[in-house]
Structures are given as C-alpha cells and as structure tokens.
C-alpha cells in the first residue's frame, strides 16, 4: 500500500479495514542487515495483493538501494559470478515467462543452486507477484476444518490434487505454496493451533508419514518441514 506517499506493508480486509506496517524500505534494510550477518543464507521476497496501483518500478526501488541492479538473465548471472561485489538479487520469473524466454534464470537452470547463488553473492530472490511462481494449494471448499485442511494438504503434497498432479519432471512448477490459513479459519485461534499440531507434530511423536523410494529403503518423517 501507499501511505502518505510511502510504500508500506499492509493487509486489507473487507471486515476489518486496512492494517499498515513498517515501510518496505525498512523491511528491505532489515533483510539486508540479516543477510550480512548470515553469509550462508538466501532470502526469497515476494509481493502479494499489491494495492494503490504500485508499479513494478516502485516495487523494485527499495531493493536496488541495497542490492543493486536486478539480475534476470543467464548472462547477468555469469557476470555476477565473475565480479563479486556486495549483496546481489535475482528475479525469480513465473513459469509462463520461462516458457517464452530461454535466457531467464529459473528454477530449472543448472546454476540455480544454493551453492552457486552464494558463490555469486546473489542472496535475495525477488518476485513482483508469486501467483505464477508457486503451485498454490488454496481451496476454500477443501479447507473448511482443521482435519480437512490436513487431508487436503497431504493430497496436494503427494500430487494427487491441485497443480502438482502428474510426474514432477513434467511439471512447470518447481516450488509450492502451502496455504494453512483459509478465510474460514483465519480468526479462529483454537482451530489454527489444532492445524499446527496436526501438520507439525514434535519429533517425539510417532512417525506417521512414510517417504517412499528413498535410498535408505524406508525413510520416514514426522510431518511437513
């Protein structure tokens, strides 16, 4: 949102109005400071539900102050590896963009690994809108209760339902966005806690989610991580 001429974090609701947070510039400054003290980490930042007609240029401006020019192409990535200076940022393109431009660095590119990003000092992945980047799990009809939500997310994660269906090698999406707070549960604190308990059981809990086809011949996990 734009408030008093300043771009700020916000959340609009038809029921509760608009909540305004710190400026985007302050947020980017905090991210930059954190990355300086954590040299082995990479952060992903995405805008969602952009309001007040904020242009791409306006959304990009706070980041260029701290991370320099936006890297998007394979040529730009190679140049960053050859000339490491300061923290850099790379734009994560949407799947439809990737289909029409072979030069964009994307999640299928061989260089797109944590090791190579850190080596080139590319420490921030930026998206102007995540809707064409992540396979989205949101389903109002399938997430009407905590248990229904867990069942739905399990089906989604296994590729049984949603945009991740079919072989992963054939799927354009290389990452997923798990929605664990649908509208029907957002303001229900007890329900939200129950969902967390179902999705993220402690390590001391009984193992319940088998992971098939692993080299350890029967790996298992406790829940989503």
């Amino acid at each position: 949102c734009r408030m008093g001429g300043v771009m700020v974090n916000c959340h609009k609701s038809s029921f509760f109005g608009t909540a305004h947070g710190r400026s985007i510039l302050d947020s980017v400054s905090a991210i930059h400071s954190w990355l300086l003290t954590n040299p082995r980490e990479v952060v992903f930042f995405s805008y969602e539900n952009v309001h007040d007609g904020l242009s791409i240029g306006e959304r990009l401006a706070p980041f260029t102050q701290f991370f320099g020019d936006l890297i998007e192409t394979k040529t730009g990535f190679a140049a960053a590896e050859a000339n490491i200076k300061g923290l850099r940022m790379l734009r994560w393109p949407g799947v439809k963009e990737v289909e029409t431009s072979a030069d964009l660095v994307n999640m299928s590119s061989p260089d797109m690994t944590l090791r190579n990003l850190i080596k080139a000092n590319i420490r921030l992945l930026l998206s102007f809108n995540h809707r064409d980047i992540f396979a989205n799990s949101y389903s109002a009809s399938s997430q009407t209760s905590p248990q229904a939500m867990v069942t739905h997310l399990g089906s989604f994660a296994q590729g049984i339902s949603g945009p991740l269906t079919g072989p992963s090698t054939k799927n354009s999406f290389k990452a997923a966005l798990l929605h664990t707070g649908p509208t029907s549960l957002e303001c229900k604190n007890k329900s939200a806690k129950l969902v967390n308990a179902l999705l993220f059981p402690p390590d001391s809990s009984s193992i319940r989610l088998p992971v098939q086809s692993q080299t350890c011949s029967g790996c298992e996990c406790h829940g989503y991580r």
Side-chain angles (χ1 to χ4, degrees):
C1 297
R2 187 185 286 109
M3 186 173 67
V6 177
M7 188 166 58
V8 300
N9 293 283
C10 69
H11 187 271
K12 288 191 174 183
S13 168
S14 57
F15 297 103
F16 306 109
T18 302
H20 295 99
R22 70 198 302 187
S23 71
I24 297 295
L25 187 62
D26 284 346
S27 296
V28 178
S29 176
I31 292 171
H32 185 266
S33 296
W34 186 84
L35 285 171
L36 287 175
T37 57
N38 294 272
R40 302 297 298 172
E41 300 291 344
V42 173
V43 167
F44 172 76
F45 185 98
S46 175
Y47 285 96
E48 180 180 16
N49 298 333
V50 178
H51 304 289
D52 301 329
L54 292 168
S55 67
I56 294 295
E58 288 177 298
R59 286 177 247 174
L60 178 62
F63 291 92
T64 57
Q65 290 190 41
F66 290 92
F67 294 92
D69 294 335
L70 188 65
I71 298 170
E72 299 184 80
T73 64
K74 296 174 182 177
T75 301
F77 193 106
E81 287 184 302
N83 183 25
I84 301 175
K85 57 176 183 179
L87 304 187
R88 310 284 188 83
M89 62 178 171
L90 175 74
R91 186 173 74 87
W92 188 341
V95 294
K96 293 179 181 178
E97 292 180 89
V98 173
E99 293 171 356
T100 58
S101 177
D103 193 38
L104 290 174
V105 178
N106 60 79
M107 297 313 289
S108 297
S109 302
D111 289 335
M112 185 61 90
T113 65
L114 184 60
R115 178 180 181 276
N116 288 338
L117 289 171
I118 292 175
K119 180 181 177 182
N121 220 14
I122 297 174
R123 306 286 302 289
L124 178 77
L125 299 179
L126 177 66
S127 166
F128 297 122
N129 194 322
H130 69 66
R131 297 187 185 283
D132 193 35
I133 290 178
F134 296 113
N136 197 325
S137 72
Y138 180 74
S139 173
S141 60
S142 300
Q143 296 177 282
T144 54
S145 70
Q147 188 57 56
M149 184 187 300
V150 172
T151 300
H152 167 68
L153 290 179
S155 174
F156 173 85
Q158 295 168 30
I160 298 174
S161 64
L164 290 180
T165 54
S168 59
T169 55
K170 302 291 185 180
N171 202 295
S172 298
F173 290 106
K174 303 303 177 185
L177 179 63
L178 293 181
H179 272 280
T180 58
T183 303
S184 59
L185 293 173
E186 280 181 351
C187 301
K188 299 179 181 178
N189 189 42
K190 291 183 179 180
S191 295
K193 288 182 178 180
L194 178 56
V195 169
N196 284 337
L198 291 169
L199 283 177
F200 307 105
D203 291 340
S204 59
S205 66
S206 59
I207 297 174
R208 59 189 178 86
L209 294 176
V211 180
Q212 304 297 329
S213 303
Q214 299 296 319
T215 56
C216 59
S217 302
C219 302
E220 294 180 316
C221 63
H222 293 276
Y224 294 93
R225 291 290 185 265

